[in-house]
Amino acid sequence: MSNKELLTFLTELSANNSKEWMDENRKWYEQERTSFLEIVAEILAALSKIEPGFSELRPKDCMFRQNRDIRFSANKAPYKTNMAAYFSIGGKKAEGPGYYLHVQPGASMVGGGVWMPQAPVLKKIRQEIDYSGQELNQILSAPEIKGTFGAMQGEKLKTSPKGFEKDHPYIEYLRYKSFVLSRPVSDKDIHSGAYVGLALEAYEKMRPFQTFLARAIYTTDEEDLLL
């Protein structure tokens, strides 16, 4: 399935980001939103075959709202100029890792991981890196991951995090505040619909990375004692 008109709509929205324009083009917006939801449903169905927990989600549980929260932002544009979805067992607000789809003219991408986790979750991930940093390094160095995504992405601390020495063998990983893999998607692939296959291929390749993060977040202290 393609989204031939979606980039055109988002381009126009970017140039006319106002409630007045959106009201005048509400039918067009609803049409493109419905088409994107169909794409989300297709991806969700594919993920459900790999991990049954995804079958409990609806497409609407994964798609982000178009409205921006402008209460505390200097940018008062009311609408996002992209359409995006996040696939995580438990929904968009789950603390575990998930898969991301972002469609925006000239800036589309697919990715996954954990973005800016809360302090308790961040602590768990760093603890897992402390214990199993060699495993994470092997995952990120594997040709199917490095060749597709390059290096792990995300904001970093400038110094070592509290509780870890600056000469820790995996200090570069410990300094991250987000743990993300992503790759760009061309406008051509959005127009043709090829990005759905590209997204699923990317999600499959990053599964070891997601498994590492999920283990870090969901393994309890009691389970650690049994290992």
Side-chain angles (χ1 to χ4, degrees):
M1 182 183 294
S2 67
N3 281 148
K4 293 181 178 179
E5 296 299 321
L6 178 55
L7 292 182
T8 301
F9 170 80
L10 292 172
T11 298
E12 290 298 314
L13 175 59
S14 181
N16 303 278
N17 200 328
S18 68
K19 184 177 183 304
E20 292 75 18
W21 185 89
M22 181 64 87
D23 288 344
E24 292 174 1
N25 292 273
R26 179 67 57 178
K27 185 175 181 180
W28 188 11
Y29 163 67
E30 293 293 348
Q31 176 182 314
E32 299 309 321
R33 182 177 184 276
T34 298
S35 295
F36 189 72
L37 273 172
E38 291 174 358
I39 294 292
V40 172
E42 183 179 347
I43 292 174
L44 193 55
L47 291 174
S48 297
K49 294 178 181 178
I50 300 170
E51 174 49 66
F54 282 110
S55 63
E56 299 178 6
L57 300 176
R58 303 169 301 169
K60 290 181 179 179
D61 296 327
C62 304
M63 186 172 173
F64 289 104
R65 296 178 59 194
Q66 204 66 36
N67 294 69
R68 295 180 63 249
D69 185 352
I70 61 175
R71 291 174 299 171
F72 308 108
S73 175
N75 178 4
K76 298 302 181 182
Y79 304 107
K80 300 170 187 173
T81 55
N82 65 76
M83 285 193 182
Y86 184 66
F87 306 89
S88 181
I89 295 175
K92 294 192 292 288
K93 296 183 179 181
E95 63 182 13
Y99 302 100
Y100 184 59
L101 171 65
H102 181 101
V103 175
Q104 183 176 2
S108 299
M109 53 84 73
V110 294
V114 177
W115 176 257
M116 297 298 288
Q118 297 294 316
V121 174
L122 179 58
K123 181 179 179 180
K124 289 181 179 180
I125 295 173
R126 285 179 173 156
Q127 181 176 336
E128 189 67 22
I129 294 172
D130 184 32
Y131 292 163
S132 307
Q134 183 177 4
E135 179 186 349
L136 178 60
N137 188 59
Q138 290 174 342
I139 290 169
L140 295 175
S141 300
E144 60 269 26
I145 285 188
K146 194 168 185 179
T148 301
F149 307 104
M152 186 168 67
Q153 301 158 33
E155 186 178 347
K156 290 182 179 182
L157 293 171
K158 294 182 179 180
T159 59
S160 57
K162 185 178 180 180
F164 298 97
E165 299 295 331
K166 62 181 180 181
D167 60 350
H168 190 288
Y170 300 105
I171 191 61
E172 287 304 309
Y173 296 145
L174 290 167
R175 288 172 54 215
Y176 278 87
K177 296 195 288 184
S178 289
F179 305 84
V180 174
L181 297 175
S182 72
R183 57 150 296 178
V185 176
S186 70
D187 287 357
K188 180 180 179 181
D189 287 332
I190 300 297
H191 278 297
S192 69
Y195 72 101
V196 177
L198 291 174
L200 291 173
E201 180 183 5
Y203 299 158
E204 175 63 26
K205 287 182 177 180
M206 69 172 66
R207 282 182 68 192
F209 177 66
Q210 302 281 59
T211 299
F212 181 92
L213 293 173
R215 187 181 74 214
I217 295 168
Y218 293 123
T219 299
T220 65
D221 291 340
E222 290 78 8
E223 289 171 323
D224 284 337
L225 293 174
L226 296 175
L227 295 178

